[in-house]
PDB file of all heavy atoms in Angstrom:
ATOM      1  N   ARG A  96     -17.090   0.805  18.002  1.00 79.00           N
ATOM      2  CA  ARG A  96     -16.634   0.557  19.370  1.00 79.00           C
ATOM      3  C   ARG A  96     -15.217   1.075  19.582  1.00 79.00           C
ATOM      4  O   ARG A  96     -14.891   1.580  20.658  1.00 79.00           O
ATOM      5  CB  ARG A  96     -16.708  -0.941  19.685  1.00 79.00           C
ATOM      6  CG  ARG A  96     -18.130  -1.447  19.886  1.00 79.00           C
ATOM      7  CD  ARG A  96     -18.136  -2.791  20.592  1.00 79.00           C
ATOM      8  NE  ARG A  96     -17.523  -3.833  19.781  1.00 79.00           N
ATOM      9  CZ  ARG A  96     -18.185  -4.593  18.909  1.00 79.00           C
ATOM     10  NH1 ARG A  96     -19.489  -4.394  18.726  1.00 79.00           N
ATOM     11  NH2 ARG A  96     -17.569  -5.523  18.223  1.00 79.00           N
ATOM     12  N   LEU A  97     -14.370   0.968  18.570  1.00 76.00           N
ATOM     13  CA  LEU A  97     -13.008   1.490  18.690  1.00 76.00           C
ATOM     14  C   LEU A  97     -13.017   3.002  18.857  1.00 76.00           C
ATOM     15  O   LEU A  97     -12.258   3.556  19.667  1.00 76.00           O
ATOM     16  CB  LEU A  97     -12.188   1.109  17.453  1.00 76.00           C
ATOM     17  CG  LEU A  97     -11.753  -0.356  17.349  1.00 76.00           C
ATOM     18  CD1 LEU A  97     -11.158  -0.630  15.981  1.00 76.00           C
ATOM     19  CD2 LEU A  97     -10.738  -0.687  18.438  1.00 76.00           C
ATOM     20  N   LEU A  98     -13.870   3.682  18.115  1.00 74.00           N
ATOM     21  CA  LEU A  98     -13.938   5.134  18.216  1.00 74.00           C
ATOM     22  C   LEU A  98     -14.580   5.592  19.514  1.00 74.00           C
ATOM     23  O   LEU A  98     -14.421   6.747  19.926  1.00 74.00           O
ATOM     24  CB  LEU A  98     -14.710   5.702  17.024  1.00 74.00           C
ATOM     25  CG  LEU A  98     -13.999   5.575  15.676  1.00 74.00           C
ATOM     26  CD1 LEU A  98     -14.911   6.009  14.541  1.00 74.00           C
ATOM     27  CD2 LEU A  98     -12.718   6.414  15.669  1.00 74.00           C
ATOM     28  N   ALA A  99     -15.291   4.703  20.173  1.00 73.00           N
ATOM     29  CA  ALA A  99     -15.905   5.029  21.462  1.00 73.00           C
ATOM     30  C   ALA A  99     -14.992   4.685  22.627  1.00 73.00           C
ATOM     31  O   ALA A  99     -15.395   4.775  23.779  1.00 73.00           O
ATOM     32  CB  ALA A  99     -17.234   4.291  21.609  1.00 73.00           C
ATOM     33  N   ALA A 100     -13.741   4.316  22.357  1.00 68.00           N
ATOM     34  CA  ALA A 100     -12.837   3.774  23.373  1.00 68.00           C
ATOM     35  C   ALA A 100     -12.471   4.682  24.544  1.00 68.00           C
ATOM     36  O   ALA A 100     -12.377   4.165  25.649  1.00 68.00           O
ATOM     37  CB  ALA A 100     -11.575   3.244  22.689  1.00 68.00           C
ATOM     38  N   PRO A 101     -12.164   5.979  24.454  1.00 73.00           N
ATOM     39  CA  PRO A 101     -12.265   6.866  23.281  1.00 73.00           C
ATOM     40  C   PRO A 101     -10.981   6.816  22.446  1.00 73.00           C
ATOM     41  O   PRO A 101      -9.883   6.654  22.959  1.00 73.00           O
ATOM     42  CB  PRO A 101     -12.439   8.236  23.913  1.00 73.00           C
ATOM     43  CG  PRO A 101     -11.675   8.142  25.196  1.00 73.00           C
ATOM     44  CD  PRO A 101     -11.828   6.717  25.679  1.00 73.00           C
ATOM     45  N   MET A 102     -11.160   6.975  21.159  1.00 74.00           N
ATOM     46  CA  MET A 102     -10.037   7.000  20.227  1.00 74.00           C
ATOM     47  C   MET A 102     -10.395   7.941  19.088  1.00 74.00           C
ATOM     48  O   MET A 102     -11.512   7.889  18.568  1.00 74.00           O
ATOM     49  CB  MET A 102      -9.761   5.584  19.692  1.00 74.00           C
ATOM     50  CG  MET A 102      -8.653   5.504  18.663  1.00 74.00           C
ATOM     51  SD  MET A 102      -8.463   3.826  17.999  1.00 74.00           S
ATOM     52  CE  MET A 102      -7.974   2.936  19.476  1.00 74.00           C
ATOM     53  N   SER A 103      -9.454   8.780  18.706  1.00 81.00           N
ATOM     54  CA  SER A 103      -9.731   9.706  17.618  1.00 81.00           C
ATOM     55  C   SER A 103      -9.728   8.965  16.291  1.00 81.00           C
ATOM     56  O   SER A 103      -9.102   7.905  16.141  1.00 81.00           O
ATOM     57  CB  SER A 103      -8.686  10.826  17.590  1.00 81.00           C
ATOM     58  OG  SER A 103      -7.430  10.327  17.174  1.00 81.00           O
ATOM     59  N   LEU A 104     -10.433   9.532  15.314  1.00 84.00           N
ATOM     60  CA  LEU A 104     -10.494   8.924  13.987  1.00 84.00           C
ATOM     61  C   LEU A 104      -9.112   8.867  13.350  1.00 84.00           C
ATOM     62  O   LEU A 104      -8.755   7.877  12.700  1.00 84.00           O
ATOM     63  CB  LEU A 104     -11.456   9.726  13.101  1.00 84.00           C
ATOM     64  CG  LEU A 104     -11.621   9.239  11.657  1.00 84.00           C
ATOM     65  CD1 LEU A 104     -12.130   7.811  11.618  1.00 84.00           C
ATOM     66  CD2 LEU A 104     -12.553  10.168  10.882  1.00 84.00           C
ATOM     67  N   VAL A 105      -8.306   9.908  13.538  1.00 85.00           N
ATOM     68  CA  VAL A 105      -6.963   9.935  12.963  1.00 85.00           C
ATOM     69  C   VAL A 105      -6.110   8.804  13.534  1.00 85.00           C
ATOM     70  O   VAL A 105      -5.373   8.127  12.810  1.00 85.00           O
ATOM     71  CB  VAL A 105      -6.296  11.295  13.207  1.00 85.00           C
ATOM     72  CG1 VAL A 105      -4.827  11.271  12.774  1.00 85.00           C
ATOM     73  CG2 VAL A 105      -7.042  12.390  12.467  1.00 85.00           C
ATOM     74  N   THR A 106      -6.204   8.583  14.842  1.00 86.00           N
ATOM     75  CA  THR A 106      -5.444   7.503  15.466  1.00 86.00           C
ATOM     76  C   THR A 106      -5.866   6.152  14.923  1.00 86.00           C
ATOM     77  O   THR A 106      -5.027   5.288  14.639  1.00 86.00           O
ATOM     78  CB  THR A 106      -5.653   7.529  16.988  1.00 86.00           C
ATOM     79  OG1 THR A 106      -5.192   8.776  17.498  1.00 86.00           O
ATOM     80  CG2 THR A 106      -4.879   6.405  17.666  1.00 86.00           C
ATOM     81  N   LEU A 107      -7.172   5.964  14.761  1.00 86.00           N
ATOM     82  CA  LEU A 107      -7.671   4.706  14.206  1.00 86.00           C
ATOM     83  C   LEU A 107      -7.143   4.487  12.792  1.00 86.00           C
ATOM     84  O   LEU A 107      -6.702   3.382  12.442  1.00 86.00           O
ATOM     85  CB  LEU A 107      -9.195   4.719  14.206  1.00 86.00           C
ATOM     86  CG  LEU A 107      -9.888   3.485  13.614  1.00 86.00           C
ATOM     87  CD1 LEU A 107      -9.486   2.219  14.363  1.00 86.00           C
ATOM     88  CD2 LEU A 107     -11.395   3.662  13.630  1.00 86.00           C
TER      89      LEU A 107
END
Side-chain angles (χ1 to χ4, degrees):
R96 287 197 295 271
L97 286 171
L98 291 173
M102 177 184 296
S103 70
L104 179 59
V105 172
T106 299
L107 178 59

